Amino acid sequence: MIAAFVGHGASLSGGALGPLIDGCDLVVRLHDWHWQPEADFGRRYDYGVLPGPWLARAMTQQRRSPLRGWLVYGWQPHHRQGLPEGAAYIDCGTLHARLRQTGARCRVGIPAPTRGLAALYMIATLPGITEIRAFGCDAIEAGSAETYAYHPALGVTDHDTTRRHDMARERQAVDWIAETSGCAIRFARLPHLEQAA
């Protein structure tokens, strides 16, 4: 089965990839995707990703429930508290440890995985998934925080100025997830970006 994961990267804007995304066997999105235009980002919403470390706040930000349910990630016992009904908790402690082992650094202490990286990790654990197509994962793909997250209402890209995440190590972690899970992970790029690369 091919799963699409849709992140918040600006690379999808104007690309009209919605039908390609929605045509995958399974579509997973971040909980706060309501701003994404259907033509570019698709509409299908099988699973939603919720961050256990800030679950209560995330629940106030979501506007639509996923068809199949929530995937909640964390690595501490308290990250399991207050899960929505029917949510699957997936322990990302191994992923968190992997980031530390590879020397990941950030300005605010031990770096936590981005929601995008945690989502790729969780999707790779779902039964029957053989390939993940990562759409809008610009910062992870580049291994750089230059295009961390797109905020269309403001028309700006968050450059992760606080350096909460080590994007170079996250890019390496994607390869580790693919290797250890046996699930291919491919960054889905727009044709005009592919030609420029």
Side-chain angles (χ1 to χ4, degrees), residues 7-76:
H8 284 344
S11 66
L12 295 182
S13 297
L17 291 181
L20 179 65
I21 292 168
D22 288 345
C24 290
D25 299 312
L26 190 72
V27 179
V28 180
R29 300 175 181 279
L30 299 174
H31 71 278
D32 57 348
W33 67 281
H34 56 272
W35 57 268
Q36 297 175 333
E38 184 175 339
D40 297 334
F41 292 83
R43 176 160 179 77
R44 188 169 165 191
Y45 190 30
D46 295 308
Y47 286 102
V49 173
L50 286 168
W54 47 284
L55 183 59
R57 180 173 47 138
M59 288 304 296
T60 67
Q61 297 170 337
Q62 62 92 18
R63 296 193 184 161
R64 182 174 158 209
S65 293
L67 182 64
R68 296 188 187 190
W70 296 106
L71 302 175
V72 181
Y73 70 90
W75 52 91
Q76 298 288 337

Side-chain angles (χ1 to χ4, degrees), residues 77-151:
H78 68 274
H79 294 164
R80 296 176 187 256
Q81 296 174 355
L83 296 180
E85 186 175 333
Y89 179 82
I90 299 173
D91 189 324
C92 289
T94 304
L95 175 61
H96 194 250
R98 178 68 182 184
L99 288 173
R100 288 193 321 267
Q101 290 167 357
T102 60
R105 299 275 184 260
C106 77
R107 194 172 68 93
V108 293
I110 297 172
T114 59
R115 293 181 294 158
L117 184 64
L120 295 173
Y121 181 84
M122 291 190 297
I123 296 166
T125 70
L126 296 176
I129 302 297
T130 57
E131 180 180 332
I132 302 169
R133 294 184 183 163
F135 293 88
C137 295
D138 304 357
I140 296 173
E141 179 181 13
S144 166
E146 290 304 309
T147 56
Y148 178 64
Y150 180 59
H151 300 283

Side-chain angles (χ1 to χ4, degrees), residues 95 98 113 116-125 132 140 170-185:
L95 175 61
R98 178 68 182 184
L117 184 64
L120 295 173
Y121 181 84
M122 291 190 297
I123 296 166
T125 70
I132 302 169
I140 296 173
E170 290 222 356
R171 179 61 187 90
Q172 293 171 357
V174 170
D175 295 335
W176 173 79
I177 293 167
E179 182 181 309
T180 58
S181 70
C183 181
I185 301 175

